[in-house]
Amino acid sequence: MIAWSEVTKFGDVTITTFAALAIAGWLLVENERRLALCWGLLFGLGLCVVIVTKMAFIGWGIGIRSLDFAGFSGHAMRAAAVLPVLLYLVLQRTPSFVRSSGILLGLALAMVIGVSRLAVHAHSVSEITAGWMLGSCVSLGFIRIAGKSLRKPVLNPWRIVLSLITLLPAPYVHPAPTQQWLTNITLYFSGHDQPFPREGWRTDRVSGRPPGAL
């Protein structure tokens, strides 16, 4: 069986961001500039929401204590944003029910990646659920727009598949230290020496002691 620690790598920023850029690149090559811009804005907005909520907790302890929520899961958000769109584009020439099945498969795979974050103790259920829902809004929003304006058939599925093959070694690459970069930036702006302690925050919530930073 594949370990959860291996599954979670497929949601790493190295893989998902490259795939997101590849989607924009395919659309630009096919002269779908409006859709490329739309995709970039939607995916970028999703990333911004993740970053802002993470920075809010790291620097100032802002979260939802009752839900154990300290920020959207970036892995779940990026996976739910990218995978359904990838399958939608690859299956563009197929009947509508096949494309719909591909979209649902992408969402399901993104949820599996989200569950892997729970299994490796990186996020709570609320953070994974919120990240998956945010990413789903990004992907389904783009697919809705593309379904009305994308010229059919415009994308070469083999070009997409061949370019995705280059991602196969990506899970074996050392994950990018994005969390450390984000922590350093947040501490700079917050003026604090240390990030807000997650474990202490959880303990306070369980014990009923007054919250320290909400």
Side-chain angles (χ1 to χ4, degrees):
M1 289 184 63
I2 301 177
W4 285 116
S5 58
E6 296 299 318
V7 174
T8 201
K9 291 179 181 179
F10 287 94
D12 185 71
V13 66
T14 305
I15 298 177
T16 50
T17 301
F18 178 87
L21 291 173
I23 291 172
W26 300 330
L27 293 170
L28 287 173
V29 167
E30 301 296 346
N31 203 31
E32 291 285 351
R33 295 185 179 88
R34 178 178 173 275
L35 277 178
L37 176 61
C38 178
W39 166 248
L41 290 175
L42 286 172
F43 187 76
L45 179 61
L47 286 180
C48 286
V49 172
V50 171
I51 291 171
V52 168
T53 56
K54 285 178 176 287
M55 291 182 68
F57 184 83
I58 292 171
W60 298 273
I62 299 173
I64 305 176
R65 189 181 298 269
S66 61
L67 297 178
D68 196 12
F69 179 84
F72 288 79
S73 166
H75 280 64
M77 191 288 293
R78 291 189 300 268
V82 169
L83 292 178
V85 174
L86 284 177
L87 290 172
Y88 171 78
L89 295 177
V90 170
L91 300 173
Q92 187 192 10
R93 298 170 185 255
T94 63
S96 59
F97 77 91
V98 176
R99 291 197 303 274
S100 297
S101 298
I103 294 169
L104 292 176
L105 176 61
L107 292 172
L109 291 174
M111 179 56 72
V112 171
I113 292 175
V115 171
S116 75
R117 301 303 287 165
L118 186 64
V120 300
H121 308 292
H123 282 291
S124 67
V125 172
S126 63
E127 293 164 352
I128 293 165
T129 302
W132 183 84
M133 292 178 65
L134 176 61
S136 298
C137 289
V138 170
S139 60
L140 295 179
F142 173 79
I143 289 170
R144 181 177 177 83
I145 295 171
K148 294 181 178 180
S149 61
L150 184 63
R151 291 178 288 112
K152 301 180 185 297
V154 66
L155 298 180
N156 186 328
W158 287 110
R159 180 184 298 157
I160 298 175
V161 171
L162 289 174
S163 59
L164 288 178
I165 290 176
T166 63
L167 286 176
L168 291 179
Y172 304 98
V173 177
H174 187 72
T178 51
Q179 186 65 30
Q180 187 58 51
W181 296 340
L182 187 61
T183 299
N184 292 340
I185 293 172
T186 303
L187 293 179
Y188 174 80
F189 284 107
S190 67
H192 299 150
D193 296 326
Q194 297 293 329
F196 190 84
R198 176 70 181 262
E199 292 304 321
W201 187 67
R202 285 172 172 165
T203 301
D204 288 347
R205 179 176 62 84
V206 173
S207 66
R209 292 198 296 269
L214 281 184

